[in-house]
mmCIF file of all heavy atoms in Angstrom:
data_model
loop_
_atom_site.group_PDB
_atom_site.id
_atom_site.type_symbol
_atom_site.label_atom_id
_atom_site.label_comp_id
_atom_site.label_asym_id
_atom_site.label_seq_id
_atom_site.Cartn_x
_atom_site.Cartn_y
_atom_site.Cartn_z
ATOM 1 N N PHE A 254 -30.033 -1.191 13.144
ATOM 2 C CA PHE A 254 -31.021 -2.336 12.720
ATOM 3 C C PHE A 254 -32.560 -1.774 13.035
ATOM 4 O O PHE A 254 -33.374 -2.136 12.203
ATOM 5 C CB PHE A 254 -30.794 -3.562 13.559
ATOM 6 C CG PHE A 254 -29.595 -4.337 13.058
ATOM 7 C CD1 PHE A 254 -28.726 -4.799 13.797
ATOM 8 C CD2 PHE A 254 -29.317 -4.466 11.581
ATOM 9 C CE1 PHE A 254 -27.626 -5.509 13.432
ATOM 10 C CE2 PHE A 254 -28.222 -5.115 11.204
ATOM 11 C CZ PHE A 254 -27.369 -5.668 12.092
ATOM 12 N N HIS A 255 -32.726 -1.001 14.153
ATOM 13 C CA HIS A 255 -34.021 -0.527 14.430
ATOM 14 C C HIS A 255 -34.506 0.542 13.364
ATOM 15 O O HIS A 255 -35.711 0.397 12.887
ATOM 16 C CB HIS A 255 -34.067 0.061 15.817
ATOM 17 C CG HIS A 255 -35.412 0.551 16.188
ATOM 18 N ND1 HIS A 255 -35.742 1.927 16.043
ATOM 19 C CD2 HIS A 255 -36.595 -0.038 16.700
ATOM 20 C CE1 HIS A 255 -36.982 2.095 16.393
ATOM 21 N NE2 HIS A 255 -37.604 0.852 16.749
ATOM 22 N N ALA A 256 -33.608 1.224 12.905
ATOM 23 C CA ALA A 256 -34.000 2.311 11.934
ATOM 24 C C ALA A 256 -34.374 1.496 10.508
ATOM 25 O O ALA A 256 -35.347 1.979 9.852
ATOM 26 C CB ALA A 256 -32.829 3.140 11.606
ATOM 27 N N ALA A 257 -33.532 0.538 10.286
ATOM 28 C CA ALA A 257 -33.839 -0.202 9.046
ATOM 29 C C ALA A 257 -35.218 -0.931 9.183
ATOM 30 O O ALA A 257 -36.022 -0.811 8.199
ATOM 31 C CB ALA A 257 -32.746 -1.251 8.764
ATOM 32 N N TYR A 258 -35.613 -1.468 10.275
ATOM 33 C CA TYR A 258 -36.728 -2.133 10.551
ATOM 34 C C TYR A 258 -38.011 -1.211 10.420
ATOM 35 O O TYR A 258 -39.006 -1.451 9.872
ATOM 36 C CB TYR A 258 -36.744 -2.911 11.890
ATOM 37 C CG TYR A 258 -38.109 -3.557 12.126
ATOM 38 C CD1 TYR A 258 -38.509 -4.854 11.528
ATOM 39 C CD2 TYR A 258 -38.985 -3.076 13.025
ATOM 40 C CE1 TYR A 258 -39.602 -5.417 11.801
ATOM 41 C CE2 TYR A 258 -40.130 -3.750 13.297
ATOM 42 C CZ TYR A 258 -40.553 -4.920 12.706
ATOM 43 O OH TYR A 258 -41.720 -5.494 12.936
ATOM 44 N N SER A 259 -37.759 -0.011 11.012
ATOM 45 C CA SER A 259 -38.737 1.135 11.066
ATOM 46 C C SER A 259 -39.081 1.523 9.672
ATOM 47 O O SER A 259 -40.229 1.707 9.240
ATOM 48 C CB SER A 259 -38.374 2.169 11.927
ATOM 49 O OG SER A 259 -38.287 1.839 13.253
ATOM 50 N N THR A 260 -38.076 1.582 8.691
ATOM 51 C CA THR A 260 -38.162 2.112 7.486
ATOM 52 C C THR A 260 -38.868 0.986 6.546
ATOM 53 O O THR A 260 -39.923 1.290 5.796
ATOM 54 C CB THR A 260 -36.916 2.359 6.723
ATOM 55 O OG1 THR A 260 -36.190 3.329 7.589
ATOM 56 C CG2 THR A 260 -37.059 2.910 5.333
ATOM 57 N N ILE A 261 -38.635 -0.262 6.845
ATOM 58 C CA ILE A 261 -39.310 -1.390 6.231
ATOM 59 C C ILE A 261 -40.846 -1.372 6.579
ATOM 60 O O ILE A 261 -41.721 -1.537 5.726
ATOM 61 C CB ILE A 261 -38.711 -2.693 6.437
ATOM 62 C CG1 ILE A 261 -37.210 -2.687 5.777
ATOM 63 C CG2 ILE A 261 -39.386 -3.792 5.937
ATOM 64 C CD1 ILE A 261 -36.395 -3.820 6.222
ATOM 65 N N GLN A 262 -41.016 -1.276 7.856
ATOM 66 C CA GLN A 262 -42.387 -1.256 8.425
ATOM 67 C C GLN A 262 -43.208 -0.009 7.768
ATOM 68 O O GLN A 262 -44.464 -0.152 7.482
ATOM 69 C CB GLN A 262 -42.394 -1.156 9.838
ATOM 70 C CG GLN A 262 -43.660 -1.465 10.587
ATOM 71 C CD GLN A 262 -43.567 -1.497 12.052
ATOM 72 O OE1 GLN A 262 -42.560 -0.943 12.657
ATOM 73 N NE2 GLN A 262 -44.645 -2.010 12.752
ATOM 74 N N TYR A 263 -42.459 1.076 7.735
ATOM 75 C CA TYR A 263 -43.130 2.322 7.197
ATOM 76 C C TYR A 263 -43.542 2.092 5.652
ATOM 77 O O TYR A 263 -44.585 2.560 5.265
ATOM 78 C CB TYR A 263 -42.252 3.451 7.367
ATOM 79 C CG TYR A 263 -42.730 4.675 6.613
ATOM 80 C CD1 TYR A 263 -43.795 5.428 7.304
ATOM 81 C CD2 TYR A 263 -42.132 5.354 5.643
ATOM 82 C CE1 TYR A 263 -44.220 6.683 6.746
ATOM 83 C CE2 TYR A 263 -42.560 6.501 5.044
ATOM 84 C CZ TYR A 263 -43.634 7.102 5.609
ATOM 85 O OH TYR A 263 -44.140 8.313 5.082
ATOM 86 N N ARG A 264 -42.633 1.454 4.941
ATOM 87 C CA ARG A 264 -42.962 1.160 3.449
ATOM 88 C C ARG A 264 -44.069 0.216 3.387
ATOM 89 O O ARG A 264 -44.912 0.461 2.436
ATOM 90 C CB ARG A 264 -41.718 0.644 2.798
ATOM 91 C CG ARG A 264 -40.715 1.797 2.578
ATOM 92 C CD ARG A 264 -39.642 1.379 1.693
ATOM 93 N NE ARG A 264 -40.083 0.964 0.374
ATOM 94 C CZ ARG A 264 -39.635 1.191 -0.709
ATOM 95 N NH1 ARG A 264 -38.448 1.738 -0.802
ATOM 96 N NH2 ARG A 264 -40.279 0.817 -1.928
ATOM 97 N N SER A 265 -44.123 -0.768 4.220
ATOM 98 C CA SER A 265 -45.344 -1.737 4.132
ATOM 99 C C SER A 265 -46.567 -1.054 4.511
ATOM 100 O O SER A 265 -47.624 -1.316 3.947
ATOM 101 C CB SER A 265 -45.025 -2.936 4.993
ATOM 102 O OG SER A 265 -44.941 -2.491 6.291
ATOM 103 N N LEU A 266 -46.600 -0.084 5.443
ATOM 104 C CA LEU A 266 -47.688 0.694 5.812
ATOM 105 C C LEU A 266 -48.195 1.487 4.581
ATOM 106 O O LEU A 266 -49.281 1.716 4.226
ATOM 107 C CB LEU A 266 -47.533 1.570 6.887
ATOM 108 C CG LEU A 266 -48.677 2.548 7.339
ATOM 109 C CD1 LEU A 266 -49.819 1.593 7.983
ATOM 110 C CD2 LEU A 266 -48.240 3.415 8.367
ATOM 111 N N LEU A 267 -47.141 2.129 3.802
ATOM 112 C CA LEU A 267 -47.522 2.899 2.634
ATOM 113 C C LEU A 267 -48.115 2.036 1.549
ATOM 114 O O LEU A 267 -48.900 2.627 0.839
ATOM 115 C CB LEU A 267 -46.193 3.661 2.209
ATOM 116 C CG LEU A 267 -45.851 4.802 2.976
ATOM 117 C CD1 LEU A 267 -44.558 5.359 2.408
ATOM 118 C CD2 LEU A 267 -46.977 5.793 3.137
ATOM 119 N N LYS A 268 -47.682 0.838 1.481
ATOM 120 C CA LYS A 268 -48.270 -0.042 0.339
ATOM 121 C C LYS A 268 -49.725 -0.326 0.709
ATOM 122 O O LYS A 268 -50.374 -0.584 -0.202
ATOM 123 C CB LYS A 268 -47.362 -1.359 0.225
ATOM 124 C CG LYS A 268 -46.077 -1.158 -0.446
ATOM 125 C CD LYS A 268 -45.320 -2.492 -0.526
ATOM 126 C CE LYS A 268 -43.954 -2.274 -1.187
ATOM 127 N NZ LYS A 268 -43.221 -3.576 -1.173
ATOM 128 N N ILE A 269 -49.969 -0.510 2.053
ATOM 129 C CA ILE A 269 -51.419 -0.847 2.408
ATOM 130 C C ILE A 269 -52.264 0.284 2.173
ATOM 131 O O ILE A 269 -53.394 0.132 1.543
ATOM 132 C CB ILE A 269 -51.321 -1.333 3.826
ATOM 133 C CG1 ILE A 269 -50.711 -2.663 4.080
ATOM 134 C CG2 ILE A 269 -52.906 -1.340 4.389
ATOM 135 C CD1 ILE A 269 -50.540 -3.058 5.490
ATOM 136 N N THR A 270 -51.704 1.515 2.530
ATOM 137 C CA THR A 270 -52.584 2.679 2.327
ATOM 138 C C THR A 270 -52.518 3.261 0.768
ATOM 139 O O THR A 270 -53.069 4.232 0.443
ATOM 140 C CB THR A 270 -52.219 3.763 3.212
ATOM 141 O OG1 THR A 270 -50.812 4.221 3.072
ATOM 142 C CG2 THR A 270 -52.498 3.348 4.721
ATOM 143 N N GLU A 271 -51.616 2.638 -0.035
ATOM 144 C CA GLU A 271 -51.338 3.009 -1.425
ATOM 145 C C GLU A 271 -50.894 4.405 -1.587
ATOM 146 O O GLU A 271 -51.418 5.088 -2.453
ATOM 147 C CB GLU A 271 -52.707 2.681 -2.190
ATOM 148 C CG GLU A 271 -53.030 1.280 -2.318
ATOM 149 C CD GLU A 271 -54.363 1.116 -3.100
ATOM 150 O OE1 GLU A 271 -55.010 2.007 -3.567
ATOM 151 O OE2 GLU A 271 -54.778 -0.120 -3.222
ATOM 152 N N ASP A 272 -50.023 4.833 -0.646
ATOM 153 C CA ASP A 272 -49.342 6.141 -0.747
ATOM 154 C C ASP A 272 -48.131 5.967 -1.500
ATOM 155 O O ASP A 272 -47.508 4.879 -1.561
ATOM 156 C CB ASP A 272 -49.263 6.793 0.547
ATOM 157 C CG ASP A 272 -50.477 7.192 1.224
ATOM 158 O OD1 ASP A 272 -51.441 7.479 0.438
ATOM 159 O OD2 ASP A 272 -50.566 7.245 2.329
ATOM 160 N N GLU A 273 -47.557 7.181 -1.872
ATOM 161 C CA GLU A 273 -46.192 7.210 -2.555
ATOM 162 C C GLU A 273 -45.090 7.200 -1.454
ATOM 163 O O GLU A 273 -45.164 8.003 -0.625
ATOM 164 C CB GLU A 273 -46.136 8.316 -3.534
ATOM 165 C CG GLU A 273 -44.804 8.476 -4.332
ATOM 166 C CD GLU A 273 -44.800 7.743 -5.585
ATOM 167 O OE1 GLU A 273 -45.975 7.237 -6.082
ATOM 168 O OE2 GLU A 273 -43.699 7.475 -6.109
ATOM 169 N N PHE A 274 -43.953 6.526 -1.706
ATOM 170 C CA PHE A 274 -42.869 6.650 -0.844
ATOM 171 C C PHE A 274 -41.986 7.823 -1.281
ATOM 172 O O PHE A 274 -41.414 7.733 -2.242
ATOM 173 C CB PHE A 274 -42.037 5.346 -0.811
ATOM 174 C CG PHE A 274 -40.791 5.287 0.055
ATOM 175 C CD1 PHE A 274 -40.984 5.290 1.476
ATOM 176 C CD2 PHE A 274 -39.598 5.519 -0.228
ATOM 177 C CE1 PHE A 274 -39.893 5.261 2.305
ATOM 178 C CE2 PHE A 274 -38.607 5.542 0.522
ATOM 179 C CZ PHE A 274 -38.683 5.434 1.744
ATOM 180 N N THR A 275 -41.912 8.763 -0.398
ATOM 181 C CA THR A 275 -41.102 9.946 -0.656
ATOM 182 C C THR A 275 -39.779 9.963 0.178
ATOM 183 O O THR A 275 -38.801 10.799 -0.271
ATOM 184 C CB THR A 275 -41.825 11.354 -0.398
ATOM 185 O OG1 THR A 275 -42.235 11.254 1.047
ATOM 186 C CG2 THR A 275 -43.065 11.387 -1.349
ATOM 187 N N GLY A 276 -39.684 9.114 1.185
ATOM 188 C CA GLY A 276 -38.565 9.162 1.893
ATOM 189 C C GLY A 276 -38.850 8.599 3.263
ATOM 190 O O GLY A 276 -40.060 8.384 3.638
ATOM 191 N N PRO A 277 -37.786 8.352 4.078
ATOM 192 C CA PRO A 277 -38.130 7.775 5.428
ATOM 193 C C PRO A 277 -38.694 8.900 6.395
ATOM 194 O O PRO A 277 -38.526 10.024 6.026
ATOM 195 C CB PRO A 277 -36.681 7.308 5.960
ATOM 196 C CG PRO A 277 -35.648 8.050 5.111
ATOM 197 C CD PRO A 277 -36.329 8.400 3.895
ATOM 198 N N PRO A 278 -39.289 8.326 7.414
ATOM 199 C CA PRO A 278 -39.829 9.415 8.368
ATOM 200 C C PRO A 278 -38.829 10.084 9.064
ATOM 201 O O PRO A 278 -37.619 9.857 9.129
ATOM 202 C CB PRO A 278 -40.674 8.572 9.339
ATOM 203 C CG PRO A 278 -40.590 7.254 8.901
ATOM 204 C CD PRO A 278 -39.571 7.066 7.761
ATOM 205 N N PHE A 279 -39.202 11.319 9.639
ATOM 206 C CA PHE A 279 -38.309 12.145 10.290
ATOM 207 C C PHE A 279 -37.692 11.539 11.462
ATOM 208 O O PHE A 279 -36.336 11.711 11.797
ATOM 209 C CB PHE A 279 -38.976 13.473 10.724
ATOM 210 C CG PHE A 279 -38.061 14.456 11.481
ATOM 211 C CD1 PHE A 279 -37.166 15.242 10.851
ATOM 212 C CD2 PHE A 279 -38.179 14.640 12.930
ATOM 213 C CE1 PHE A 279 -36.372 16.051 11.402
ATOM 214 C CE2 PHE A 279 -37.463 15.492 13.602
ATOM 215 C CZ PHE A 279 -36.503 16.221 12.776
ATOM 216 N N GLU A 280 -38.349 10.651 12.208
ATOM 217 C CA GLU A 280 -37.681 9.967 13.263
ATOM 218 C C GLU A 280 -36.566 9.062 13.005
ATOM 219 O O GLU A 280 -35.598 8.938 13.689
ATOM 220 C CB GLU A 280 -38.816 9.146 14.108
ATOM 221 C CG GLU A 280 -39.936 10.009 14.766
ATOM 222 C CD GLU A 280 -41.131 10.244 13.710
ATOM 223 O OE1 GLU A 280 -41.006 9.642 12.624
ATOM 224 O OE2 GLU A 280 -41.810 11.122 14.054
ATOM 225 N N VAL A 281 -36.725 8.406 11.789
ATOM 226 C CA VAL A 281 -35.756 7.558 11.290
ATOM 227 C C VAL A 281 -34.512 8.281 10.985
ATOM 228 O O VAL A 281 -33.416 7.901 11.146
ATOM 229 C CB VAL A 281 -36.267 6.707 10.149
ATOM 230 C CG1 VAL A 281 -35.127 5.912 9.549
ATOM 231 C CG2 VAL A 281 -37.385 5.694 10.499
ATOM 232 N N ILE A 282 -34.627 9.512 10.379
ATOM 233 C CA ILE A 282 -33.594 10.262 9.981
ATOM 234 C C ILE A 282 -32.777 10.751 11.263
ATOM 235 O O ILE A 282 -31.560 10.814 11.337
ATOM 236 C CB ILE A 282 -33.914 11.523 9.031
ATOM 237 C CG1 ILE A 282 -34.459 10.937 7.713
ATOM 238 C CG2 ILE A 282 -32.836 12.475 8.836
ATOM 239 C CD1 ILE A 282 -35.158 12.044 6.882
ATOM 240 N N VAL A 283 -33.522 11.215 12.184
ATOM 241 C CA VAL A 283 -32.864 11.567 13.501
ATOM 242 C C VAL A 283 -32.178 10.425 14.170
ATOM 243 O O VAL A 283 -31.005 10.559 14.630
ATOM 244 C CB VAL A 283 -33.939 12.109 14.508
ATOM 245 C CG1 VAL A 283 -33.449 12.395 15.752
ATOM 246 C CG2 VAL A 283 -34.484 13.550 13.905
ATOM 247 N N GLU A 284 -32.758 9.239 14.085
ATOM 248 C CA GLU A 284 -32.126 8.009 14.677
ATOM 249 C C GLU A 284 -30.878 7.724 13.797
ATOM 250 O O GLU A 284 -29.888 7.365 14.439
ATOM 251 C CB GLU A 284 -33.031 6.930 14.530
ATOM 252 C CG GLU A 284 -32.597 5.645 15.338
ATOM 253 C CD GLU A 284 -33.721 4.557 15.369
ATOM 254 O OE1 GLU A 284 -34.717 4.717 14.763
ATOM 255 O OE2 GLU A 284 -33.419 3.563 15.986
ATOM 256 N N LEU A 285 -30.804 7.810 12.581
ATOM 257 C CA LEU A 285 -29.596 7.627 11.829
ATOM 258 C C LEU A 285 -28.548 8.625 12.081
ATOM 259 O O LEU A 285 -27.318 8.248 12.135
ATOM 260 C CB LEU A 285 -29.941 7.575 10.291
ATOM 261 C CG LEU A 285 -30.795 6.357 9.825
ATOM 262 C CD1 LEU A 285 -31.200 6.619 8.368
ATOM 263 C CD2 LEU A 285 -30.000 5.160 10.004
ATOM 264 N N ILE A 286 -28.851 9.847 12.255
ATOM 265 C CA ILE A 286 -27.935 10.893 12.645
ATOM 266 C C ILE A 286 -27.234 10.484 14.004
ATOM 267 O O ILE A 286 -26.037 10.638 14.192
ATOM 268 C CB ILE A 286 -28.366 12.371 12.623
ATOM 269 C CG1 ILE A 286 -28.831 12.750 11.201
ATOM 270 C CG2 ILE A 286 -27.451 13.285 13.278
ATOM 271 C CD1 ILE A 286 -29.550 13.977 11.150
ATOM 272 N N LEU A 287 -28.105 10.088 15.001
ATOM 273 C CA LEU A 287 -27.579 9.726 16.254
ATOM 274 C C LEU A 287 -26.725 8.466 16.164
ATOM 275 O O LEU A 287 -25.642 8.332 16.916
ATOM 276 C CB LEU A 287 -28.747 9.515 17.199
ATOM 277 C CG LEU A 287 -28.489 9.224 18.691
ATOM 278 C CD1 LEU A 287 -27.630 10.325 19.270
ATOM 279 C CD2 LEU A 287 -29.612 8.749 19.379
ATOM 280 N N VAL A 288 -27.161 7.525 15.267
ATOM 281 C CA VAL A 288 -26.164 6.290 15.052
ATOM 282 C C VAL A 288 -24.914 6.857 14.441
ATOM 283 O O VAL A 288 -23.776 6.155 14.935
ATOM 284 C CB VAL A 288 -27.039 5.250 14.055
ATOM 285 C CG1 VAL A 288 -26.064 4.317 13.522
ATOM 286 C CG2 VAL A 288 -28.064 4.694 14.816
ATOM 287 N N LEU A 289 -24.893 7.689 13.558
ATOM 288 C CA LEU A 289 -23.642 8.080 12.975
ATOM 289 C C LEU A 289 -22.717 8.745 14.028
ATOM 290 O O LEU A 289 -21.522 8.339 14.120
ATOM 291 C CB LEU A 289 -23.891 9.109 11.882
ATOM 292 C CG LEU A 289 -22.624 9.788 11.190
ATOM 293 C CD1 LEU A 289 -21.916 8.776 10.396
ATOM 294 C CD2 LEU A 289 -23.070 10.925 10.569
ATOM 295 N N ILE A 290 -23.162 9.489 14.909
ATOM 296 C CA ILE A 290 -22.420 10.161 16.064
ATOM 297 C C ILE A 290 -21.911 9.123 16.905
ATOM 298 O O ILE A 290 -20.657 9.012 17.346
ATOM 299 C CB ILE A 290 -23.307 11.256 16.775
ATOM 300 C CG1 ILE A 290 -23.482 12.395 15.718
ATOM 301 C CG2 ILE A 290 -22.464 11.658 17.873
ATOM 302 C CD1 ILE A 290 -24.530 13.407 16.181
ATOM 303 N N LEU A 291 -22.756 8.153 17.409
ATOM 304 C CA LEU A 291 -22.360 7.126 18.318
ATOM 305 C C LEU A 291 -21.388 6.178 17.667
ATOM 306 O O LEU A 291 -20.427 5.798 18.392
ATOM 307 C CB LEU A 291 -23.624 6.318 18.759
ATOM 308 C CG LEU A 291 -24.557 7.155 19.763
ATOM 309 C CD1 LEU A 291 -25.753 6.182 20.152
ATOM 310 C CD2 LEU A 291 -23.749 7.548 21.035
ATOM 311 N N SER A 292 -21.521 5.773 16.495
ATOM 312 C CA SER A 292 -20.530 4.791 15.839
ATOM 313 C C SER A 292 -19.181 5.525 15.668
ATOM 314 O O SER A 292 -18.214 4.992 15.758
ATOM 315 C CB SER A 292 -21.132 4.284 14.630
ATOM 316 O OG SER A 292 -21.376 5.321 13.693
ATOM 317 N N LEU A 293 -19.278 6.819 15.235
ATOM 318 C CA LEU A 293 -17.964 7.518 15.118
ATOM 319 C C LEU A 293 -17.255 7.625 16.514
ATOM 320 O O LEU A 293 -16.030 7.354 16.574
ATOM 321 C CB LEU A 293 -18.184 8.923 14.516
ATOM 322 C CG LEU A 293 -18.473 9.077 13.027
ATOM 323 C CD1 LEU A 293 -18.792 10.400 12.776
ATOM 324 C CD2 LEU A 293 -17.203 8.529 12.348
ATOM 325 N N PHE A 294 -17.951 7.826 17.522
ATOM 326 C CA PHE A 294 -17.443 7.871 18.923
ATOM 327 C C PHE A 294 -16.801 6.523 19.208
ATOM 328 O O PHE A 294 -15.661 6.412 19.694
ATOM 329 C CB PHE A 294 -18.442 8.370 19.884
ATOM 330 C CG PHE A 294 -18.016 8.312 21.241
ATOM 331 C CD1 PHE A 294 -17.155 9.210 21.830
ATOM 332 C CD2 PHE A 294 -18.458 7.272 22.178
ATOM 333 C CE1 PHE A 294 -16.631 9.139 23.109
ATOM 334 C CE2 PHE A 294 -17.973 7.086 23.394
ATOM 335 C CZ PHE A 294 -17.039 8.101 23.923
ATOM 336 N N ALA A 295 -17.593 5.520 19.002
ATOM 337 C CA ALA A 295 -17.251 4.193 19.330
ATOM 338 C C ALA A 295 -15.963 3.673 18.574
ATOM 339 O O ALA A 295 -15.004 3.111 19.035
ATOM 340 C CB ALA A 295 -18.280 3.216 19.305
ATOM 341 N N GLY A 296 -15.982 4.129 17.211
ATOM 342 C CA GLY A 296 -14.910 3.618 16.418
ATOM 343 C C GLY A 296 -13.567 4.474 16.754
ATOM 344 O O GLY A 296 -12.556 3.899 16.431
ATOM 345 N N LEU A 297 -13.639 5.605 17.247
ATOM 346 C CA LEU A 297 -12.428 6.243 17.547
ATOM 347 C C LEU A 297 -12.011 5.908 18.920
ATOM 348 O O LEU A 297 -10.806 6.150 19.233
ATOM 349 C CB LEU A 297 -12.679 7.910 17.562
ATOM 350 C CG LEU A 297 -12.887 8.311 16.022
ATOM 351 C CD1 LEU A 297 -13.275 9.807 16.065
ATOM 352 C CD2 LEU A 297 -11.562 8.121 15.318
ATOM 353 N N THR A 298 -12.733 5.547 19.866
ATOM 354 C CA THR A 298 -12.341 5.197 21.191
ATOM 355 C C THR A 298 -12.054 3.788 21.536
ATOM 356 O O THR A 298 -11.310 3.494 22.401
ATOM 357 C CB THR A 298 -13.451 5.768 22.222
ATOM 358 O OG1 THR A 298 -14.662 5.158 21.972
ATOM 359 C CG2 THR A 298 -13.425 7.379 22.115
ATOM 360 N N VAL A 299 -12.761 2.873 20.873
ATOM 361 C CA VAL A 299 -12.484 1.409 21.187
ATOM 362 C C VAL A 299 -11.193 0.899 20.844
ATOM 363 O O VAL A 299 -10.444 0.165 21.592
ATOM 364 C CB VAL A 299 -13.678 0.562 20.595
ATOM 365 C CG1 VAL A 299 -13.388 -0.916 20.654
ATOM 366 C CG2 VAL A 299 -15.012 0.848 21.227
ATOM 367 N N PRO A 300 -10.648 1.263 19.556
ATOM 368 C CA PRO A 300 -9.312 0.590 19.230
ATOM 369 C C PRO A 300 -8.156 0.986 20.176
ATOM 370 O O PRO A 300 -7.184 0.278 20.241
ATOM 371 C CB PRO A 300 -9.049 1.194 17.762
ATOM 372 C CG PRO A 300 -10.498 1.499 17.379
ATOM 373 C CD PRO A 300 -11.168 2.055 18.485
ATOM 374 N N GLY A 301 -8.158 2.045 20.890
ATOM 375 C CA GLY A 301 -7.169 2.383 21.772
ATOM 376 C C GLY A 301 -6.481 3.657 21.284
ATOM 377 O O GLY A 301 -7.013 4.458 20.607
#
């Protein structure tokens, strides 16, 4: 949810500065990779 909010906030900043959106910031991509690893870990260990 934080990565999604950061991307939305970044896009609104780009609209204010009238820049082109080329992709999410590097921090968001790193956060999404970390989310993938953590959710895979939780998905494999929580069920039993």
Side-chain angles (χ1 to χ4, degrees):
F254 286 136
H255 180 264
Y258 179 75
S259 296
T260 304
I261 292 170
Q262 190 176 19
Y263 177 71
R264 285 191 61 142
S265 66
L266 178 68
L267 289 178
K268 285 182 184 177
I269 292 172
T270 60
E271 296 177 355
D272 288 334
E273 182 87 17
F274 179 75
T275 57
F279 179 72
E280 295 86 13
V281 172
I282 293 173
V283 170
E284 189 173 3
L285 288 174
I286 292 171
L287 187 62
V288 164
L289 176 68
I290 293 168
L291 290 176
S292 61
L293 282 174
F294 173 76
L297 290 174
T298 57
V299 169

